[in-house]
Amino acid sequence: MFIRTLSSINRFSLLSILRTHSTTSNTTHFGFDEVPENEKQTRVNEVFSSVADSYDLMNDIMSFGIHRIWKDHFIRIVRPDPQWNYIDVAGGTGDIAFRYLKELDRYYPSAASSIPLSESPITPTHTYIADSLEQTRIRPTSKCVVADINPNMLAVGKQRSIDNNLHNRIQWIETNAEELPFEDEQFDVYTIAFGIRNCTHIDRVVSEAYRVLKKGGRFLCLEFSQVNNTLLRYFYDQYSKTFIPPMGQIIANDWKSYQYLIESIRVFPKQKEFAELIRSCNFRYVNFENLSFGVSTIHSGYKL
């Protein structure tokens, strides 16, 4: 693993990045396919509705359990603080939020007895779907918020939070990462893990993160990326293509969804490209750290 601070690339390069990952103003990538922008989210929802119940099991199988090490390291970088308002986006199963709370309790045991959620303008199940953002933006009612667009993934996370006795410490929000329902400058830390590549407009997701973060707040993204060794990249590509879809069929009875998941990794911006996109959304001190030779990468930036 290593941290590498990036130098700026010119505006022409950034425009090339955005063109590559949104082929025209009306189309975008869904895996290797080019689809109308207004269809991608529906297709992504279908994928995650299909894999929700087996999602964490498949992550273990696909990564040989290494995703757990990546996520643990990710949260150690976050360094939770009990005073912070924290949001995890595209985190429906709760995997990152649970780690955040447990890491918080490890260093601040009193945080476990934090005040339960107060009454709020959202439903008792803490699920919110934005209709008119300009008129209905809200403030978080918990120090820990999980946002995801897919209700099936959220249902898995809610049940897991009950099983882990964390249900009274998390606010669950059903919403699009490109249009969060919160007022400006509400959070100290924003994380998104293995979710941003499934969004239609990556730049809008990062811009929304900037909007809802407080001054001094930090954006952290864990995502699959480009293996930086040519030989390892070849073997990794072969493994992905020949192993993951068949295992998806065996474990989840779903070949196509896992075929999409590996294709979505291939079309996601490479490390330097994504770092420049983050910087273009006004984040500062942007850097990244490769994990497992770049199989996944942690990107970081601050709102100043």
Side-chain angles (χ1 to χ4, degrees), residues 135-294:
Q135 298 177 359
T136 61
R137 280 183 174 156
I138 59 174
R139 296 185 179 183
T141 60
S142 172
K143 290 288 185 181
C144 180
V145 174
V146 174
D148 199 297
I149 198 170
N150 191 285
N152 298 79
M153 298 288 278
L154 287 169
V156 171
K158 289 177 186 179
Q159 184 57 54
R160 289 183 64 199
S161 72
I162 294 171
D163 296 341
N164 287 276
N165 197 30
L166 295 170
H167 57 283
N168 69 330
R169 300 176 64 189
I170 300 174
Q171 180 183 8
W172 302 90
I173 302 291
E174 183 183 339
T175 191
N176 192 327
E178 297 179 16
E179 297 179 306
L180 295 175
F182 294 101
E183 294 179 4
D184 296 353
E185 299 189 355
Q186 294 297 307
F187 297 97
D188 299 276
V189 176
Y190 172 117
T191 62
I192 182 166
F194 303 121
I196 197 167
R197 74 181 189 281
N198 299 305
C199 298
T200 305
H201 304 96
I202 297 171
D203 55 330
R204 293 184 193 174
V205 176
V206 179
S207 293
E208 271 294 271
Y210 187 87
R211 182 183 68 78
V212 301
L213 280 168
K214 300 176 184 178
K215 295 289 178 62
R218 191 178 188 185
F219 168 83
L220 285 147
C221 174
L222 173 63
E223 188 53 86
F224 290 111
S225 198
Q226 176 78 40
V227 176
N228 52 28
N229 178 284
T230 303
L231 183 60
L232 287 176
R233 183 163 62 245
Y234 171 78
F235 285 110
Y236 173 61
D237 288 344
Q238 295 305 308
Y239 158 77
S240 299
K241 290 186 290 186
T242 60
F243 180 76
I244 293 178
M247 286 306 300
Q249 182 65 37
I250 294 169
I251 301 298
N253 194 31
D254 191 336
W255 180 296
K256 290 184 178 180
S257 293
Y258 286 94
Q259 182 69 37
Y260 158 73
L261 291 176
I262 63 169
E263 290 177 2
S264 68
I265 295 169
R266 299 297 179 269
V267 299
F268 188 73
K270 296 179 177 64
Q271 288 92 323
K272 290 183 179 181
E273 295 173 349
F274 186 46
E276 183 58 28
L277 188 152
I278 295 169
R279 188 177 291 108
S280 74
C281 294
N282 296 319
F283 282 102
R284 296 295 177 261
Y285 297 105
V286 175
N287 59 48
F288 67 81
E289 175 184 358
N290 281 326
L291 308 179
S292 302
F293 303 98

Side-chain angles (χ1 to χ4, degrees), residues 45-84:
N45 284 347
E46 290 172 352
V47 167
F48 284 93
S49 293
S50 175
V51 305
D53 291 335
S54 59
Y55 184 72
D56 291 320
L57 174 61
M58 278 300 298
N59 282 342
D60 280 329
I61 293 172
M62 289 189 299
S63 71
F64 300 103
I66 296 173
H67 77 102
R68 296 176 180 269
I69 298 173
W70 296 336
K71 291 171 181 175
D72 289 342
H73 179 66
F74 185 56
I75 290 302
R76 284 195 293 271
I77 289 175
V78 174
R79 299 178 65 182
D81 187 296
Q83 301 303 314
W84 287 347

Side-chain angles (χ1 to χ4, degrees), residues 18-29:
L18 296 178
R19 289 193 195 104
T20 299
H21 297 282
S22 182
T23 312
T24 73
S25 60
N26 297 314
T27 63
T28 190
H29 291 290

Side-chain angles (χ1 to χ4, degrees), residues 112-132:
S113 58
S114 60
I115 300 173
L117 296 175
S118 61
E119 292 184 4
S120 67
I122 57 179
T123 65
T125 55
H126 310 293
T127 301
Y128 178 89
I129 303 176
D131 293 317
S132 177

